[in-house]
Amino acid sequence: MGLAATFAIASLSSPATAMTPTLNARVALVADHASVVPGQSFKAGLRIVHDKGWHTYWANPGDSGLPTRFDWTLPAGASAGAIEWPLPERLLASGLTNFGYSDALLLPATLRVPADAVAGARFRATLRARWLICEEACIPDEATLTLDLPIEAAPRASVDAADFEATAARVPVAPHAPSGHSWRDATHVATQIDDADAMLRGATRIEVFPLTPQIVTSTRIEARLGPDGALRFRHPASEYFDRMPARIDWVIGAQGEDGRWRALQVSLPAEDARIP
């Protein structure tokens, strides 16, 4: 079992919402509220319970795969944000290393109720979700699911609210803009994040994932805090590496002494060659 199973998947409760069977998984569209009010933002998301041995993919799938995709149909004046990707695990299959999820998963997004919605009406949202689910072989699948919530004078939390809270702790947040950079040498991409000790204070384990695809190989990145407080790592360039982009996004997972994880996302300027 990969990284995420050690700190994230087990935090999800048993599904309280009826699940729809799909190919090698069960899915449901759930929300953190049982009722909403005009102008409110709330969380809705796709719950996936994978069959044993099967997985789906993160925003950057790694060596192979495709990320899950959301297409919403919403009432006039409503809006939906992007998928809020929780920290993934590394998944090994057929000599490849991928980034994704096994066991139970919740992929949230932020929905906003129209400001001119009327109490007593309904907020109906339809999600067409598409994903690639894999064991050794991969199968494309999809589901179209509907959320139907009453619009009331006061919002009410749902039975799934705790799962959204647990997932939110694993969704990367951007700290104050850190200084640092990534650069390429002949075979590797190196990174230095200055003053990282402040954002990683108390971490007993650090995991780094490249959110920008096809930059480095997907194998585990050895990242260490130096005595000067900087986080440094140098990792082989991906075999698909073409050129350095202007910036590279990294996701960093930090496990505390209590066993809990938090996730950070940093965007650093990148250069084709640099002598540190």
Side-chain angles (χ1 to χ4, degrees):
M1 190 63 64
L3 169 67
T6 67
F7 71 97
I9 302 300
S11 65
L12 294 186
S13 61
S14 298
T17 305
M19 305 291 287
T20 298
T22 61
L23 298 175
N24 304 295
R26 292 172 293 140
V27 301
L29 177 57
V30 295
D32 65 350
H33 277 72
S35 69
V36 293
V37 299
Q40 177 189 350
S41 293
F42 68 100
K43 300 292 184 184
L46 180 70
R47 186 197 298 277
I48 305 177
V49 179
H50 304 83
D51 289 352
K52 184 176 177 59
W54 291 80
H55 62 268
T56 52
Y57 292 95
W58 187 48
N60 173 12
D63 287 343
S64 65
L66 293 169
T68 298
R69 177 177 173 180
F70 284 3
D71 293 299
W72 293 95
T73 301
L74 301 170
S79 62
I83 296 174
E84 298 165 13
W85 298 95
L87 200 64
E89 57 184 306
R90 282 183 168 84
L91 302 158
L92 306 179
S94 302
L96 302 176
T97 302
N98 297 317
F99 305 136
Y101 311 96
S102 57
D103 295 341
L105 166 68
L106 180 59
L107 289 179
T110 299
L111 302 190
R112 185 170 182 82
V113 183
D116 60 357
V118 178
R122 311 285 297 187
F123 179 87
R124 293 183 176 88
T126 299
L127 172 65
R128 182 190 179 196
R130 288 175 278 178
W131 61 88
L132 190 67
I133 188 163
C134 303
E135 189 186 37
E136 291 297 328
C138 292
I139 305 171
D141 202 3
E142 66 174 76
T144 299
L145 307 163
T146 298
L147 186 68
D148 189 352
L149 301 177
I151 301 172
E152 298 180 350
R156 290 182 290 114
S158 75
V159 294
D160 296 299
D163 283 353
F164 282 90
E165 291 179 7
T167 297
R170 303 184 286 115
V171 173
V173 296
H176 66 279
S179 62
H181 52 274
S182 294
W183 66 94
R184 179 184 62 87
D185 60 25
T187 58
H188 287 63
V189 172
T191 295
Q192 176 174 313
I193 303 173
D194 303 321
D195 300 322
D197 54 345
M199 65 182 184
L200 297 175
R201 184 171 291 115
T204 59
R205 179 179 172 187
I206 298 170
E207 293 284 345
V208 177
F209 297 89
L211 184 56
T212 304
Q214 297 183 353
I215 295 296
V216 295
T217 62
S218 302
T219 54
R220 188 175 188 273
I221 295 172
E222 296 293 338
R224 300 188 184 281
L225 276 170
D228 59 352
L231 182 71
R232 296 180 176 88
F233 48 93
R234 180 175 179 268
H235 201 64
S238 167
E239 65 178 295
Y240 304 108
F241 183 95
D242 180 24
R243 63 178 64 87
M244 289 290 275
R247 304 189 70 84
I248 299 179
D249 291 337
W250 302 96
V251 168
I252 303 170
Q255 186 180 38
E257 293 181 354
D258 59 2
R260 296 182 180 180
W261 288 77
R262 64 186 188 278
L264 305 163
Q265 182 174 329
V266 297
S267 180
L268 300 177
E271 300 171 85
D272 247 341
R274 183 182 177 98
I275 299 174

